[in-house]
Amino acid sequence: MTDHEERVTSYGVYTLEKFCNLYPGEFTLPRDTSVISVTDNKVTVYCGDVKISTFSIIYSENQERFVYHGEFSGWLPYMDVARSTFFKMVDCVNYVNLKFHYGRLRCEDGPAKEILFSDGVKQVEWFDNHERHRKNGPAIKMWHPNGKTGLKKYLREGYYYRKDGPAVQEWYDNGQLKKEIWYKDYEENGCYICAAKHREDGLPAYTKWNEEGNIIEQKWFYRGKEQPYITTKKAL
Protein backbone atom coordinates (compact mmCIF):
# COMPACT_ATOMS: atom_id res chain seq x y z
CA MET A 1 0.00 0.00 0.00
CA THR A 2 1.40 3.40 -0.98
CA ASP A 3 1.69 6.31 1.45
CA HIS A 4 -1.25 8.23 -0.04
CA GLU A 5 -3.44 5.12 -0.15
CA GLU A 6 -2.73 4.52 3.53
CA ARG A 7 -3.74 8.07 4.42
CA VAL A 8 -6.97 7.96 2.41
CA THR A 9 -8.04 4.74 4.11
CA SER A 10 -7.00 5.80 7.62
CA TYR A 11 -10.48 5.99 9.09
CA GLY A 12 -11.01 7.12 12.64
CA VAL A 13 -11.42 10.10 14.94
CA TYR A 14 -8.53 12.53 15.22
CA THR A 15 -7.54 15.63 17.11
CA LEU A 16 -6.51 18.58 14.97
CA GLU A 17 -2.82 17.89 15.61
CA LYS A 18 -3.06 14.23 14.62
CA PHE A 19 -5.09 15.02 11.51
CA CYS A 20 -2.55 17.64 10.37
CA ASN A 21 0.21 15.07 10.87
CA LEU A 22 -1.74 12.59 8.74
CA TYR A 23 -2.28 15.15 5.96
CA PRO A 24 0.66 17.54 6.33
CA GLY A 25 0.13 20.81 4.48
CA GLU A 26 -2.98 19.58 2.68
CA PHE A 27 -5.77 21.37 4.55
CA THR A 28 -6.28 24.55 6.56
CA LEU A 29 -8.64 24.04 9.49
CA PRO A 30 -9.66 26.32 12.40
CA ARG A 31 -7.53 26.20 15.53
CA ASP A 32 -10.54 25.62 17.77
CA THR A 33 -11.31 22.34 16.00
CA SER A 34 -12.08 19.74 18.65
CA VAL A 35 -12.23 16.48 16.70
CA ILE A 36 -12.12 15.38 13.07
CA SER A 37 -13.87 12.21 11.95
CA VAL A 38 -12.66 10.38 8.84
CA THR A 39 -14.93 7.68 7.40
CA ASP A 40 -14.97 6.38 3.83
CA ASN A 41 -12.93 9.39 2.59
CA LYS A 42 -15.42 11.82 4.15
CA VAL A 43 -14.04 14.27 6.68
CA THR A 44 -16.33 15.79 9.32
CA VAL A 45 -15.00 18.69 11.39
CA TYR A 46 -16.36 19.62 14.84
CA CYS A 47 -15.79 22.68 17.01
CA GLY A 48 -16.94 21.56 20.41
CA ASP A 49 -20.14 19.62 19.82
CA VAL A 50 -21.04 21.63 16.68
CA LYS A 51 -20.49 20.08 13.27
CA ILE A 52 -19.12 22.94 11.19
CA SER A 53 -18.19 21.22 7.95
CA THR A 54 -18.09 18.03 5.95
CA PHE A 55 -16.10 17.34 2.82
CA SER A 56 -14.84 14.40 0.80
CA ILE A 57 -11.23 13.96 -0.23
CA ILE A 58 -9.51 11.78 -2.79
CA TYR A 59 -6.05 11.60 -4.24
CA SER A 60 -5.81 13.28 -7.64
CA GLU A 61 -5.69 11.10 -10.75
CA ASN A 62 -2.00 11.93 -11.29
CA GLN A 63 -1.36 10.98 -7.63
CA GLU A 64 0.32 14.29 -6.83
CA ARG A 65 -2.02 15.86 -4.31
CA PHE A 66 -5.27 15.47 -2.38
CA VAL A 67 -8.32 17.13 -3.90
CA TYR A 68 -11.92 17.68 -2.87
CA HIS A 69 -14.18 15.11 -4.45
CA GLY A 70 -17.89 14.88 -3.74
CA GLU A 71 -19.55 17.38 -1.45
CA PHE A 72 -18.19 20.12 0.79
CA SER A 73 -20.44 21.97 3.22
CA GLY A 74 -19.65 24.21 6.13
CA TRP A 75 -20.00 27.46 8.01
CA LEU A 76 -17.63 29.88 6.33
CA PRO A 77 -16.52 31.81 9.43
CA TYR A 78 -14.75 28.60 10.51
CA MET A 79 -13.45 27.21 7.23
CA ASP A 80 -10.30 29.07 6.18
CA VAL A 81 -9.76 26.73 3.25
CA ALA A 82 -13.10 27.65 1.68
CA ARG A 83 -12.78 31.32 2.58
CA SER A 84 -9.42 31.69 0.85
CA THR A 85 -10.23 29.53 -2.16
CA PHE A 86 -13.74 30.44 -3.24
CA PHE A 87 -14.77 33.87 -1.98
CA LYS A 88 -13.47 37.42 -2.01
CA MET A 89 -16.10 38.98 0.25
CA VAL A 90 -15.85 36.24 2.86
CA ASP A 91 -17.20 38.36 5.70
CA CYS A 92 -20.58 38.47 3.93
CA VAL A 93 -20.91 34.68 3.64
CA ASN A 94 -22.36 32.42 6.33
CA TYR A 95 -22.75 28.99 4.79
CA VAL A 96 -21.71 27.23 1.61
CA ASN A 97 -22.30 23.90 -0.08
CA LEU A 98 -19.95 22.90 -2.90
CA LYS A 99 -19.88 19.81 -5.12
CA PHE A 100 -16.64 18.65 -6.70
CA HIS A 101 -15.49 16.17 -9.30
CA TYR A 102 -11.79 15.48 -8.75
CA GLY A 103 -11.06 18.93 -7.42
CA ARG A 104 -13.15 20.90 -9.92
CA LEU A 105 -16.62 22.34 -9.31
CA ARG A 106 -19.13 20.21 -11.18
CA CYS A 107 -22.58 18.72 -10.69
CA GLU A 108 -24.68 17.09 -13.40
CA ASP A 109 -28.09 17.19 -11.68
CA GLY A 110 -28.17 20.60 -9.99
CA PRO A 111 -26.13 23.57 -8.78
CA ALA A 112 -22.54 22.90 -7.72
CA LYS A 113 -22.40 25.93 -5.43
CA GLU A 114 -25.00 27.10 -2.92
CA ILE A 115 -24.31 30.18 -0.80
CA LEU A 116 -26.18 31.70 2.12
CA PHE A 117 -25.08 35.28 2.83
CA SER A 118 -25.22 36.85 6.27
CA ASP A 119 -28.03 39.21 5.22
CA GLY A 120 -30.30 36.29 4.20
CA VAL A 121 -29.60 36.44 0.46
CA LYS A 122 -29.33 33.00 -1.19
CA GLN A 123 -27.41 32.26 -4.39
CA VAL A 124 -26.93 29.07 -6.42
CA GLU A 125 -24.55 28.46 -9.32
CA TRP A 126 -24.22 25.69 -11.89
CA PHE A 127 -20.74 24.53 -12.97
CA ASP A 128 -19.17 22.11 -15.40
CA ASN A 129 -15.43 21.47 -15.16
CA HIS A 130 -15.00 24.50 -12.87
CA GLU A 131 -16.68 26.89 -15.35
CA ARG A 132 -20.09 28.43 -14.74
CA HIS A 133 -22.24 26.60 -17.25
CA ARG A 134 -25.85 25.64 -17.82
CA LYS A 135 -27.59 24.80 -21.09
CA ASN A 136 -31.23 25.16 -20.05
CA GLY A 137 -31.67 28.11 -17.74
CA PRO A 138 -29.55 30.59 -15.81
CA ALA A 139 -26.21 29.40 -14.43
CA ILE A 140 -26.46 31.86 -11.53
CA LYS A 141 -29.63 32.62 -9.56
CA MET A 142 -30.04 34.80 -6.49
CA TRP A 143 -32.99 35.44 -4.16
CA HIS A 144 -33.59 38.35 -1.82
CA PRO A 145 -34.26 37.60 1.88
CA ASN A 146 -38.00 37.98 1.20
CA GLY A 147 -37.82 35.13 -1.33
CA LYS A 148 -38.21 37.23 -4.47
CA THR A 149 -35.82 36.69 -7.38
CA GLY A 150 -32.91 39.14 -7.37
CA LEU A 151 -30.58 37.94 -10.13
CA LYS A 152 -30.32 35.64 -13.13
CA LYS A 153 -27.19 35.18 -15.24
CA TYR A 154 -27.04 32.89 -18.25
CA LEU A 155 -23.61 31.43 -19.02
CA ARG A 156 -22.10 28.62 -21.04
CA GLU A 157 -18.52 27.50 -20.49
CA GLY A 158 -17.93 30.58 -18.37
CA TYR A 159 -19.24 33.13 -20.91
CA TYR A 160 -22.51 35.03 -21.01
CA TYR A 161 -24.79 33.34 -23.51
CA ARG A 162 -28.50 33.48 -24.23
CA LYS A 163 -30.25 33.39 -27.61
CA ASP A 164 -33.77 34.47 -26.71
CA GLY A 165 -33.30 37.26 -24.18
CA PRO A 166 -30.95 39.21 -21.93
CA ALA A 167 -28.12 37.17 -20.41
CA VAL A 168 -28.11 39.27 -17.23
CA GLN A 169 -31.22 40.32 -15.30
CA GLU A 170 -31.45 41.94 -11.86
CA TRP A 171 -34.49 42.80 -9.73
CA TYR A 172 -35.13 44.97 -6.68
CA ASP A 173 -36.54 43.24 -3.62
CA ASN A 174 -39.99 44.68 -4.44
CA GLY A 175 -40.04 42.61 -7.66
CA GLN A 176 -39.34 45.54 -10.00
CA LEU A 177 -36.82 44.80 -12.77
CA LYS A 178 -33.59 46.71 -12.06
CA LYS A 179 -31.25 45.90 -14.94
CA GLU A 180 -30.92 43.78 -18.06
CA ILE A 181 -27.97 43.28 -20.40
CA TRP A 182 -27.93 41.52 -23.78
CA TYR A 183 -24.93 39.61 -25.14
CA LYS A 184 -24.07 37.81 -28.35
CA ASP A 185 -21.23 35.74 -29.82
CA TYR A 186 -19.97 36.64 -33.28
CA GLU A 187 -17.15 36.01 -35.74
CA GLU A 188 -14.93 38.78 -37.05
CA ASN A 189 -11.83 38.50 -39.25
CA GLY A 190 -11.68 34.77 -38.64
CA CYS A 191 -11.81 35.18 -34.85
CA TYR A 192 -14.69 33.98 -32.70
CA ILE A 193 -15.69 36.57 -30.09
CA CYS A 194 -17.60 35.42 -27.00
CA ALA A 195 -20.02 37.38 -24.85
CA ALA A 196 -19.96 40.85 -26.35
CA LYS A 197 -22.67 43.32 -25.39
CA HIS A 198 -24.84 43.40 -28.51
CA ARG A 199 -28.40 43.86 -29.77
CA GLU A 200 -29.58 44.18 -33.35
CA ASP A 201 -33.27 45.09 -33.11
CA GLY A 202 -32.81 48.80 -32.47
CA LEU A 203 -33.42 48.43 -28.74
CA PRO A 204 -30.78 49.07 -26.08
CA ALA A 205 -28.46 46.27 -25.01
CA TYR A 206 -28.30 47.77 -21.52
CA THR A 207 -31.26 49.15 -19.58
CA LYS A 208 -31.57 50.17 -15.94
CA TRP A 209 -34.74 51.04 -14.00
CA ASN A 210 -35.37 52.62 -10.61
CA GLU A 211 -37.53 50.98 -7.95
CA GLU A 212 -40.64 52.74 -9.28
CA GLY A 213 -40.18 51.19 -12.74
CA ASN A 214 -38.87 54.28 -14.54
CA ILE A 215 -35.99 53.90 -16.98
CA ILE A 216 -32.96 55.81 -15.68
CA GLU A 217 -30.24 54.61 -18.07
CA GLN A 218 -29.97 53.01 -21.52
CA LYS A 219 -27.00 52.10 -23.68
CA TRP A 220 -26.75 50.70 -27.20
CA PHE A 221 -24.02 48.23 -28.15
CA TYR A 222 -22.99 46.52 -31.37
CA ARG A 223 -20.43 43.73 -31.12
CA GLY A 224 -19.17 45.00 -27.80
CA LYS A 225 -18.79 48.64 -28.82
CA GLU A 226 -21.05 51.29 -27.42
CA GLN A 227 -23.04 53.15 -30.07
CA PRO A 228 -25.12 56.33 -30.16
CA TYR A 229 -28.89 55.91 -30.08
CA ILE A 230 -29.85 53.26 -32.68
CA THR A 231 -33.26 53.02 -34.32
CA THR A 232 -32.62 50.33 -36.94
CA LYS A 233 -29.93 47.83 -37.81
CA LYS A 234 -29.22 49.82 -41.02
CA ALA A 235 -28.03 52.71 -38.91
CA LEU A 236 -24.88 50.68 -38.25
Side-chain angles (χ1 to χ4, degrees):
M1 180 180 292
T2 65
D3 179 56
H4 72 265
E5 288 174 336
E6 181 178 0
R7 284 189 285 173
V8 166
T9 56
S10 297
Y11 305 151
V13 178
Y14 300 88
T15 63
L16 177 61
E17 181 181 0
K18 288 184 178 180
F19 184 80
C20 290
N21 289 335
L22 186 66
Y23 299 92
E26 301 288 351
F27 303 102
T28 303
L29 296 171
R31 291 184 180 180
D32 53 349
T33 296
S34 55
V35 294
I36 302 164
S37 173
V38 182
T39 58
D40 194 23
N41 293 344
K42 177 168 284 189
V43 178
T44 304
V45 182
Y46 295 86
C47 283
D49 295 329
V50 179
K51 182 173 71 173
I52 61 167
S53 73
T54 60
F55 57 91
S56 298
I57 55 174
I58 195 169
Y59 215 69
S60 60
E61 293 175 309
N62 58 13
Q63 296 190 351
E64 292 182 353
R65 62 189 178 90
F66 284 91
V67 295
Y68 293 108
H69 182 75
E71 190 166 344
F72 173 105
S73 60
W75 293 97
L76 265 292
Y78 294 97
M79 296 307 299
D80 293 336
V81 61
R83 288 162 61 96
S84 61
T85 305
F86 299 104
F87 300 98
K88 296 180 180 179
M89 299 176 63
V90 294
D91 293 336
C92 300
V93 179
N94 269 357
Y95 186 82
V96 64
N97 183 275
L98 306 167
K99 295 180 180 178
F100 293 90
H101 183 77
Y102 289 99
R104 304 184 72 80
L105 284 167
R106 181 184 180 189
C107 182
E108 295 182 354
D109 57 358
K113 180 189 287 187
E114 297 180 60
I115 312 165
L116 178 62
F117 293 89
S118 56
D119 59 1
V121 170
K122 180 182 178 181
Q123 183 167 310
V124 297
E125 303 178 21
W126 280 255
F127 282 80
D128 186 17
N129 198 29
H130 226 62
E131 298 282 1
R132 289 177 177 85
H133 175 90
R134 192 181 182 192
K135 289 185 176 180
N136 302 311
I140 301 175
K141 294 180 69 176
M142 183 270 280
W143 293 267
H144 291 291
N146 62 9
K148 292 188 176 181
T149 300
L151 174 70
K152 289 183 180 180
K153 291 186 177 182
Y154 296 76
L155 299 97
R156 289 193 183 182
E157 298 179 355
Y159 293 97
Y160 289 119
Y161 181 90
R162 190 183 181 190
K163 283 188 174 182
D164 57 354
V168 177
Q169 293 176 291
E170 295 182 28
W171 289 264
Y172 293 101
D173 59 9
N174 65 0
Q176 167 60 44
L177 186 62
K178 178 180 181 180
K179 183 189 301 182
E180 64 176 28
I181 309 174
W182 296 65
Y183 290 82
K184 186 177 181 180
D185 299 346
Y186 67 93
E187 191 171 338
E188 184 175 72
N189 299 324
C191 297
Y192 191 74
I193 310 298
C194 295
K197 292 185 180 73
H198 178 95
R199 200 171 180 190
E200 296 181 345
D201 54 11
L203 296 173
Y206 174 97
T207 302
K208 186 175 181 179
W209 292 262
N210 61 21
E211 293 189 61
E212 289 71 44
N214 301 310
I215 294 175
I216 57 176
E217 187 177 10
Q218 289 183 310
K219 294 181 181 180
W220 283 257
F221 287 85
Y222 184 77
R223 294 188 172 182
K225 297 180 180 179
E226 188 172 356
Q227 306 288 327
Y229 174 72
I230 300 171
T231 55
T232 67
K233 185 178 178 181
K234 292 181 180 180
L236 300 170

